[in-house]
Amino acid sequence: MRALTYAAFGGPLSVTEVPDPVAPPGGAVVRVEASGLCRSDWHGWLGHDTDIVGFPHIPGHEFAGSVESVGDGVDRGWVGRRVTAPFVFACGACPVCRVGDGQVCPHQRQPGFSDPGSFAERVVVHAAATNLVALPDDVTTAQAAGLGCRVATAYRAVTVRADVQAGESVVVLGCGGVGLSAVAAAVARGADVIAVDLSADSLAAATALGARHGLLQGDDLPERVHDLTGGGAHVSIDALGSPGTARAGVLCLRRRGRHVQVGLLPPGAGAAPIPMDRVIAWELDVLGSHGMDARAYPALLDDVRAGRIPLASMLDGRGPLGLEAAAKALPDMGSSFSRGIVLVDPTR
């Protein structure tokens, strides 16, 4: 099959032929019809993720497609069904998974990181009975391709980790795929959303999704948010992942506010200077959000089908990239603005 690979961290990416995968016991092979190009793929390519082992490596961890084959122990009724899957393949058997927290399974596997990823014509899904998510007929494969990481992670950050309530003020820092997903989820909950980014085009996309305010990021951001909200936001979400945005998110909060860290903070970027004196004095909550268990997808899919999470409008308007174009686009993710979810079509 055709796949996008790299042979060293930060090295050239190329489209090559690699052996077709075989469904392992308990697993499945999915024919990939669309895969999201995510900033986490850029982190992995640079070597920020220590789970990557062995080269050449295939990136890609957000995908949707059709089940092509299944291994021993998997219901053959899955074959031919359109599916997606979380970017964290939970084992499904450990105590953490049994209580529904597969997104932090201690035995997890991740396509594009610990395993070959989805910038290829086929990808393996381990523990298929736990991780495969069937797609409703009225959710397209292209729309579903971003669910596995950005949309699901942002959705859970808003609805579960922050538990955003109607009428609360929410500031979202970074309006790429994760941030726009967080904006849409918070608006759907009835929140008053402030979007923050360095790009006016990204802010326009956020306001089109219902954000009440769009602010260009600057050193005075916390003061502007406090002025707009009359004392600070109830919730801040760092959807970018940088020491500066993490600190700014905490400083944007009102007393008893909740900060959710979604964007990755790789060690190479330096420690995030979280103002713990403010955290203590104002009794702030600082929370992490790392994906979503497959069993939680029905609520998200219901919101997508009802139009409360407008996936179609969150896709990058340039259309899907072929693998050769993705090889050029992935390295640029550290320096270019994102205007939505960029898709890769591995058949092109």
Side-chain angles (χ1 to χ4, degrees):
M1 67 175 181
R2 296 173 72 245
L4 182 64
T5 67
Y6 56 89
F9 291 130
L13 293 111
S14 60
V15 180
T16 60
E17 295 282 332
V18 300
D20 287 330
V22 176
V29 171
V30 172
R31 178 177 289 275
V32 180
E33 297 170 18
S35 184
L37 179 62
C38 177
R39 187 175 171 86
S40 297
D41 298 310
W42 175 78
H43 281 297
W45 169 69
L46 284 179
H48 296 163
D49 193 301
T50 57
D51 288 337
I52 293 177
V53 292
F55 294 106
H57 182 68
I58 304 173
H61 61 289
E62 298 180 309
F63 62 91
S66 300
V67 177
E68 189 173 83
S69 61
V70 296
D72 291 344
V74 180
D75 183 355
R76 290 195 55 81
W78 279 107
V79 175
R81 299 186 70 180
R82 292 190 316 121
V83 297
T84 187
F87 77 92
V88 172
F89 292 162
C91 75
C94 71
V96 174
C97 288
R98 286 199 292 269
V99 298
D101 288 330
Q103 74 281 352
V104 290
C105 171
H107 311 295
Q108 65 186 257
R109 305 177 71 148
Q110 295 185 17
F113 300 97
S114 64
D115 293 345
S118 56
F119 292 163
E121 292 179 310
R122 297 172 185 83
V123 67
V124 170
V125 176
H126 292 274
T130 296
N131 296 305
L132 287 178
V133 177
L135 295 177
D137 292 340
D138 48 358
V139 175
T140 70
T141 304
Q143 292 170 352
L147 290 178
C149 176
R150 281 170 284 192
V151 178
T153 301
Y155 184 83
R156 187 170 178 275
V158 169
T159 62
V160 178
R161 300 298 282 153
D163 191 21
V164 169
Q165 301 296 310
E168 290 190 316
S169 54
V170 177
V171 59
V172 177
L173 295 95
C175 294
V178 174
L180 293 178
S181 302
V183 168
V187 168
R189 301 275 284 192
D192 186 12
V193 178
I194 301 170
V196 179
D197 204 276
L198 292 171
S199 164
D201 289 339
S202 297
L203 292 178
T207 54
L209 288 171
R212 187 180 298 272
H213 303 284
L215 302 179
L216 289 171
Q217 189 171 337
D219 292 340
D220 62 342
L221 175 65
E223 290 79 7
R224 286 182 286 159
V225 170
H226 279 256
D227 288 343
L228 283 173
T229 58
H234 295 89
V235 173
S236 62
I237 297 175
D238 178 8
L240 174 66
S242 76
T245 51
R247 176 179 173 82
V250 173
L251 291 175
C252 285
L253 293 173
R254 67 178 58 209
R255 296 170 190 270
R256 302 299 307 279
R258 294 102 70 195
H259 173 77
V260 186
Q261 188 64 39
V262 179
L264 297 178
L265 291 165
I274 301 299
M276 295 305 293
D277 54 341
R278 176 73 69 87
V279 170
I280 295 167
W282 287 22
E283 290 193 353
L284 306 178
D285 292 338
V286 179
L287 306 164
S289 185
H290 187 255
M292 188 167 76
D293 186 274
R295 286 167 289 186
Y297 272 64
L300 169 58
L301 288 170
D302 283 347
D303 277 349
V304 170
R305 298 170 71 189
R308 292 184 288 270
I309 305 294
L311 273 180
S313 65
M314 291 157 56
L315 300 178
D316 185 280
R318 294 171 293 182
L321 306 176
L323 288 179
E324 285 83 1
K328 299 176 181 178
L330 192 155
D332 292 339
M333 296 197 77
S335 57
S336 61
F337 294 121
S338 171
R339 298 184 180 91
I341 297 173
V342 177
L343 297 181
V344 175
D345 180 351
T347 67
R348 295 178 56 188

